[in-house]
Amino acid sequence: MTVATHRFQALDSLRGLCALMVVLFHLPIASHFRHWGVVQHGYLFVDFFFVLSGFVMAHSYGGRIATIGDALRFFGRRWGRVWPLHVVILLAFVAIELTRVWLDFDTVTPFTRDRIPEAIVSNLFLVQALGLHDSLTWNGPAWSISVELAAYAVFAAILLFAPKRFGWIAAAIAVVGAVVVVSLAPRWMNTTYNYGLARALCGFFIGTLTYRAWKAWPAPHAPWIQGAAALAALIFVGFVTGPATVLAPAVFALSVWAFAQEKGPVTRALKIRPLLALGTWSYSIYMNHMLVIILMMIWARKQDGLIDGRAIDLGSVWLNDLAAIGVLATIVGLSALTFRFIETPGRRAFNRWIDRFPPRGRVETLAVV
């Protein structure tokens, strides 16, 4: 199966920055950052991941899935991309619970609430966010990986069975997903284990349609377009609440469309080495950060450093700011290591195994998504 390999570097950098915003959203430190609207509503940056994923999958695999073998190889590669790090972090969470049992070092009762033993199995198979539980379980942020894999399966099925109607089907799925979120999700776009699949399908297939739009009408080389798209996204995340949050994928789609052109001063700024590194490590940042936060909360409880049992306070908001920056740096450093020693070898091992089963016969391009 031929796969398009071009990397949209500016979009990679944006993904890394969005991953840091999700970390700040979850970070339980009483810093100045917690009062920024763009941080308080930082959960919406997950929708950027869904839109970008749809865009990239349409670029890499659109029109290249023509047989069941193609679909299986596609899904196997996507599974191999996310599962190795996911399972290592899951085992680290389980190790924390076992340590609680053996050493009784924490006030939290082990293997209760979001850390129930039966959820280990659903997390291992990455189906934990498909209606099996009534809360987030274990590594909470992994819910998005669960539903994104489901979106990959739907994407491959459409290319396999109805490639010529892909655009219409993608649009219908996106609309239905948005309607489900607005109508049924108690907190609208801030939905995860309950209606997260609808949220992911909406964003992912808007991303595939954005790719079609970008191929047909590329963004002009005007710097103001990229700046306006980025500013619109920040204003939206910072101020919009309630049912209107369902527009997040459309707002992020505008940014993806604008920055995919990869020309102009804003794009060049995004291609500096530190930001490209953040993009490279973005999946590790996203998957690692809750583990670091849990360990930090255990330490804070031991030091009686929590406000209302929820936020860490070092006695000065400026010290809290420094602590928040230090935690971000720690998470980024850890992510550089997990990318190198877990993500990369894990992905290569899966790909080597998949490459043992080459496609049979000629694969025809049936549609360009």
Side-chain angles (χ1 to χ4, degrees):
M1 179 169 52
T2 303
V3 177
T5 57
H6 173 73
R7 290 191 69 89
F8 296 90
Q9 292 184 318
L11 293 176
D12 262 357
S13 294
L14 286 176
R15 179 169 52 194
L17 292 172
C18 288
L20 289 184
M21 296 307 296
V22 173
V23 175
L24 283 174
F25 169 70
H26 286 137
L27 199 60
I29 298 178
S31 66
H32 285 106
F33 308 125
R34 286 171 62 87
H35 302 292
W36 296 357
V38 74
V39 172
Q40 291 177 342
H41 308 149
Y43 64 88
L44 287 172
F45 287 106
V46 175
D47 296 289
F48 178 84
F49 301 153
F50 292 143
V51 173
L52 181 57
S53 180
F55 183 92
V56 172
M57 290 304 103
H59 168 72
S60 300
Y61 291 96
R64 296 178 174 87
I65 298 177
T67 68
I68 292 177
D70 290 341
L72 291 176
R73 280 185 289 275
F74 160 73
F75 195 79
R77 288 181 182 276
R78 300 320 302 163
W79 181 274
R81 173 70 180 86
V82 300
W83 191 80
L85 179 60
H86 163 70
V87 74
V88 169
I89 300 300
L90 174 62
L91 292 175
F93 271 90
V94 173
I96 291 174
E97 296 306 294
L98 291 173
T99 305
R100 282 182 169 132
V101 172
W102 295 330
L103 301 182
D104 192 25
F105 70 94
D106 194 14
T107 58
V108 174
T109 304
F111 291 106
T112 58
R113 300 175 64 183
D114 60 332
R115 293 154 285 110
I116 53 176
E118 52 266 36
I120 296 174
V121 177
S122 61
N123 276 264
L124 276 174
F125 289 97
L126 280 167
V127 295
Q128 72 272 27
L130 302 183
L132 299 182
H133 306 290
D134 58 2
S135 70
L136 291 173
T137 56
W138 293 99
N139 187 15
W143 75 269
S144 66
I145 311 305
S146 172
V147 294
E148 191 168 335
L149 281 172
Y152 292 155
V154 176
F155 171 77
I158 299 172
L159 287 179
L160 189 58
F161 298 111
K164 296 180 180 179
R165 298 181 179 87
F166 185 94
W168 290 105
I169 296 173
I173 291 174
V175 170
V176 170
V179 170
V180 168
V181 170
V182 168
S183 305
L184 300 177
R187 294 185 294 169
W188 299 288
M189 221 51 173
N190 191 9
T191 186
T192 54
Y193 62 88
N194 41 13
Y195 297 101
L197 178 58
R199 176 183 177 184
L201 290 172
C202 175
F204 182 91
F205 283 100
I206 284 178
T208 65
L209 295 174
T210 302
Y211 179 74
R212 299 187 83 178
W214 177 75
K215 290 290 288 185
W217 307 287
H221 298 165
W224 69 267
I225 292 179
Q226 294 179 345
L231 183 61
L234 289 174
I235 292 173
F236 179 89
V237 174
F239 293 98
V240 175
T241 59
T245 54
V246 77
L247 297 174
V251 173
F252 287 131
L254 177 62
S255 293
V256 171
W257 172 78
F259 283 96
Q261 199 63 17
E262 299 205 299
K263 292 184 179 180
V266 182
T267 295
R268 286 196 295 272
L270 287 171
K271 289 185 178 182
I272 63 174
R273 185 169 295 180
L275 291 183
L276 290 175
L278 281 182
T280 299
W281 304 330
S282 59
Y283 177 63
S284 275
I285 291 170
Y286 183 74
M287 293 298 287
N288 290 338
H289 78 273
M290 194 56 68
L291 177 64
V292 174
I293 287 174
I294 292 297
L295 293 173
M296 184 175 64
M297 291 294 285
I298 292 172
W299 171 84
R301 279 194 294 269
K302 300 288 285 186
Q303 304 300 318
D304 293 325
L306 295 179
I307 302 174
D308 299 327
R310 298 176 62 88
I312 295 173
D313 185 7
L314 301 179
S316 165
V317 69
W318 298 104
L319 284 177
N320 293 341
D321 290 346
L322 290 175
I325 294 171
V327 172
L328 284 178
T330 299
I331 291 170
V332 170
L334 173 64
S335 299
L337 295 175
T338 56
F339 174 80
R340 179 176 179 181
F341 296 108
I342 300 175
E343 273 194 70
T344 300
R347 180 181 69 249
R348 288 174 177 171
F350 267 88
N351 288 346
R352 283 195 299 269
W353 181 77
I354 292 168
D355 289 342
R356 293 172 58 190
F357 307 95
R360 297 180 179 179
R362 183 170 60 90
V363 176
E364 297 181 354
T365 299
L366 300 182
V368 176
V369 176

